[in-house]
Amino acid sequence: MPDPDREVQSELPLFEAEPSAASNDSSTSQGALSRNFLGWSEPLLSSAVDHLTREWDTSEPLDLSTQLLVVPTRNAGRRLRESLAIRAGEFDSAVFPPTVVTQDYLISTDRLLESNLTLPVAGTQITLWIWAALLLKLPLNRFRQAFPVDPVERTLKWACDTAGELLQVRHLLTESGHIFATAAEVLAAQDMEPGRWAELARIEQLAIADTEKCGLADEASAQLKVPGNGQLNTTVESITVCGLTDLRPLAEDTLKHWSSTYPVELLIHAPESEAPHFDSYGRPLPTSWIDRSIPIPDPNTIIQNASTPLEQAELTADLLNELDQVSASAAIGIPDTALSTPLQETLKTRGLKSYDPAGRALAGEGIYYLIKQVAEVTSSQTISSFRRLLNCPGVGNAILRDIPTQENFTTCQLLQLSDKLIIETLPSHLDDALESARRRFYTHPELARAIEWIQNWSRRFQKDSFDSTLNEFLAAIYEGRQFSNHDPAQSILSEVADAIQLLNDDLDRVAATFPKAPSASDRFEMLLTTMSTQQIYPEREPEEVDLQGWLELLWEDAPRLVVTGMNDHSVPEAIVGHAFLPDTARRVLGVQNNDDRFARDAYFLTSMLESRKKEGRRVDLIFGRESASGDPLRPSRLLFQCPAEELPSRTLHLFRDVEIENRPEARSVAFPLKPLPLPPGNKVFERASPTSIKQYLACPFRFYLKFGLGMSSVELNKREMDAADFGNLVHNSLEAFARDAEAITLTAPEKITQFLHQEIDRQLSSQFGKDLSTPLVIQRESARKRLAWWAAIESEQRKAGWKILAPEETFGTEEWPFSIDGMTVKGRIDRIEQHPEHGIRVIDFKTFSPGSGSNRKTVDAYHLTPLKRNESPDDFPEWALIEGEDGKTYRWTDLQLPLYLLAMSERENSARLTAAYATLGKSEAEVSIDEWSELDDRLLDSARACATGVIKAINQQIFWPASEDAPPWDDFRDLLQPTAQDTVDSTGLTPSLNPV
C-alpha cells in the first residue's frame, strides 16, 4: 500500500504526441503530460510550494521564471506567489516567480499566431454591444421560438440584458468547444429543441457578420482555433497545472496540443491511492465521488446549524473567539455570497477585520449610484429623479458653487425647498418644477437656478461629447475633495474614467451596427452595464481574516477553517431549470453538469478535511435553516455523504429539534431612540392650538415629535393632493367667496356655483400650473361637484337669514386674545355667521365623509368617544373624561368646536352662540350643516378642564406613553415599528408623573 502522504508521479499514456503547430523546428523536443499526486495531509498551498521548490539550491535565488503555472482563480495565484516569496525569504533569498495564469489564459485569443487571424479579435465588451445592437434591429417575428413574445419595451437596456444572457450561454459552449451553430447540430440530432437552437444559430451568424463589418473577428470563433494554433511566450519551458479540478474541454485541448512541445505536469491534491478517482487531467470522476462517503470527524461537533444569516455570522464569530491570533490561524468560507455582509458586520462589531478576495462590486460604490441618478435625470427629466440626485454627496455643493446664492444659503436649505416644491406643487417634469419654483419660490431663486443647473447638464449630455461631458460633470462634483494617497475612492474614479474612455472607443468601432446612433441615455445605460460587471480589489491589510469563496477554499492553508452557508443551493451548486442549457443539454454538449459539480465539491470537502486531521487543525461546517428573506433552506447533500449505518444518526443530528432549538428571535430594533427633553424656549411651551391639543390627546409622543421637534414625513413620489391639500383647496375657495362683498349677497345656487368653480380653477392654476395631471383633474372635478352641492345649501342659508360676518377669523392674537392656564391658545375659525333670531354661529368646514342615514357620524362623536371594552377610566387622566347623559364615560379626543365657542364667548359675551360642522363629503347626502346643539356649559367647562390638563402636561414635559393605536395615515408609523414601546427609550419624556 503506497504512502498516502508521499508525492507520487503518475505517467499516463494519454495520447500520441503531436507535432507543434507553434514551431517549424523539427529538432524541438517532444513534451509529455504527467499527473503528480501531492498527498493531502497538508493543505494544497504548502504542498504546491514544496513541490515547486523541491530541486531548489537555496544558495541561489529561486528561479521559476520559465514555468507557466495554471491555477483555478486569480486569488489562488496571488496566494501562491506570496507563499513562494515567503519560502524564499526564509533563506534570505529572492524569487523569480513563474507566470501564473488561470485557464482562461489557455483559450485566450492572445495566444493565436498572427497567421491564424486576418482581423483583430473583438473583445468581450464590444461583442456585447454588437449583439445588443443586433437585437434592437432584429425582426423578432421571424424568431418566435427564441423570442415567443415581444418585450414590453424594446430598449437598449432590454437588448443589453438579453444579449448578456445569450453570450453567457455562448461562453459556456465555447469553453466546451462549441458555438451556437455546432451546438444546434448536436442538439438537433438528439431532438432537443431543434427549432429554437436553429434560430439562435441564425442570430449568431448575423452577429458574426456584423462583427466582421466592424473590421473585427468573432471572439468565440477565434477561441475555437486556439487549441491547435496557440503559442506561448518564448521564455516558457514547462507548464504546471495546479489544483485545477474543473478544466474545461477547450482548455484541455490546448494542453493536449502544447504537451507535444512542453512538459505538462498536473498537480493533484490527493494521495496516489486516489489516482483511479481522477481523470487524466485531474478532474474528480463523478462515478467515484457521487456515492462516496466523506469522512467528517465527530460530525455532531463539526456540523452546526443556525437559523438566519445573522445567526450564522454570530456563530462564526463565537468559534473564532476561541483563537488567540485569528488572522494568522483561521479563515472563513462563504459559499453563499449572501452571508458576506452579515459576516463582515458581525466581525467588525467583535473587533475583527475581514478581507474578501472576491473584491467589491463597483455597482455598490457611491459613484455608480451617482452616475445612475444622473442617467435617470437625463432620460426621464422628472423632479423625483433630480431630488434623488441631490441626495448624492457633493451634488448640492457643486450646484451652490455654480449658481448665485443668498448669503449663508446651504445645501440643507436647497433640499428643504425641493421637498416643499414637490409636496406643494406636485410637479412631474423638470420644466413644470422650474415654472412652479419661479412662481411660488421667487424669494428663494436658488431652487429655480438649481433646476436650471441640472437641465443645462442634461442638454450638454444630449448635444456635446458624452465622455467629455461626463468627465467634466464628475470633476465638478468632486472638486475640492482631498484624496489621501491610499484613498480607494481615488482609484475608483480612475477606473470609472477608464471605463468612460473605453466605452467611447468601443462605440466608435461598432457605431455602424446600431440602427441609430446611441443617445445620451443609451450611453449611460451602456456605461452602467460595463460598470456593473467590474470588481474593485482593495489591498489586504494586516490582521484581516480572509473570507474565501468555495472555489478558493482548496487553496486556504489556515489550520482553522469555518465554512458557512453549507446549504444545498450553494454546495453543491446545481443547475435547475436553466432557460437555455438545462442539465440534459449540458451532458450532450460536454458542458459541466450537476454530476461534475457534485464530484468537484465532494472532493473539495474531502480534501479540506483530510488536510486538517492533525492536532491543532479543524474544519467547522455551518448550515442555515432560513435565508435572509425567511425562505427555508436544506443542509448540503454533502453532509449526508456517510456510511449507510451512520445516515439515521446523521439525519437526526442535522434536523434535531428544529422547531425548538435556536428559534429565530422576533424582529427587534438595532438601537432605541432616545428623545431628550425639549429646551425651555420651545414653542410648545408658549402657544397651543386646537390641532396640537387634538394631537396630544391622540398620542403625547407623536405630539412631541410633530410639534416639539417639527418632524413630518415627506412623500417625494406624491402625484396628487392628499387629504389636507384637498381640504385647503376647498377651504380657500369658500374663504374667497365669503370675502367677496358681491358674492355673499348671491342667493341663486348656479351663481354661487359659478363663483366657487372659478375660484377652484384659479387656485389650481396658481399652485400647479395650467396643464394639470390626470389625478389633479380628477380631484378638481371632485371639488367642483362638492362645491356645487354646497352652493344649494349656501343659497338656502342666505334665504333663511344667515349672514356671513367674517371668514377665517383668528383668535389668540393681540386683537383677539385667548388663553387657558396662562398659555395662549391660537386657532382660526373658518366662518362666523349671524342670524337675527338664532344669534352667532361658528362653522368649521370639513371635507371628510361622515356617512349617511343612520350610520352618519354626528359632530359630537368627532370630539367625544366612549371608552372601549378593554379601556378603564384609570387608563386616562381625570381631566380627559366626562360622564355622558346616558351614564357612559366618554373621553375627549378633540376640543376644536368647544375651544371656538370658549374663545367666542370671551369676545361676544352676551350673544347666543352655537357651533357646527359644514361637511362636504363625497356624495350629495354627505354635504350638509351639522350643528352641535347639545354643546352646553357643562360640556364647555369639561372641555376647558381638558385643555388645562393638556397644557399642564405639556409644561411638565409628559410626552409618554405613546399610543399604539395609530391611524393608517400616521406620519410616524414606519419610525415606530414594531411598536413605540420597542423603539423608544422614554426615560427623557416623563420627568414628572404626578397627576395634573
Side-chain angles (χ1 to χ4, degrees), residues 409-517:
F409 188 83
T410 65
T411 56
C412 183
Q413 289 174 285
L414 181 60
L415 291 170
Q416 290 173 338
L417 284 173
S418 63
D419 288 346
K420 191 173 182 181
L421 176 74
I422 292 172
I423 293 169
E424 292 184 0
T425 67
L426 306 182
S428 177
H429 294 279
L430 286 177
D431 288 340
D432 300 330
L434 180 59
E435 180 187 348
S436 298
R438 289 170 174 167
R439 184 177 66 250
R440 294 180 62 84
F441 297 94
Y442 53 86
T443 58
H444 293 287
E446 292 86 356
L447 179 57
R449 292 167 184 165
I451 296 172
E452 290 174 329
W453 181 88
I454 192 59
Q455 286 183 315
N456 289 334
W457 276 109
S458 296
R459 283 190 287 269
R460 289 192 58 187
F461 281 121
Q462 298 287 358
K463 295 180 179 179
D464 299 342
S465 167
F466 175 80
D467 55 326
S468 298
T469 303
L470 182 55
N471 282 321
E472 288 180 33
F473 179 83
L474 294 176
I477 300 302
Y478 289 95
E479 180 183 343
R481 174 167 174 177
Q482 298 295 321
F483 295 98
S484 65
N485 293 333
H486 302 289
D487 192 338
Q490 189 170 25
S491 61
I492 292 172
L493 281 173
S494 177
E495 289 194 29
V496 171
D498 292 343
I500 295 170
Q501 183 59 49
L502 180 62
L503 174 62
N504 188 61
D505 296 341
D506 288 350
L507 284 179
D508 286 344
R509 195 70 184 260
V510 302
T513 64
F514 282 85
K516 61 179 181 179

Side-chain angles (χ1 to χ4, degrees), residues 93-127:
S93 186
V95 59
F96 297 100
T99 301
V100 183
V101 299
T102 64
Q103 65 174 318
D104 288 340
Y105 176 91
L106 302 179
I107 59 175
S108 170
T109 55
D110 294 340
R111 309 278 71 74
L112 285 172
L113 295 167
E114 291 184 5
S115 59
N116 297 120
L117 289 173
T118 57
L119 296 172
V121 178
T124 302
Q125 207 63 53
I126 282 184
T127 301

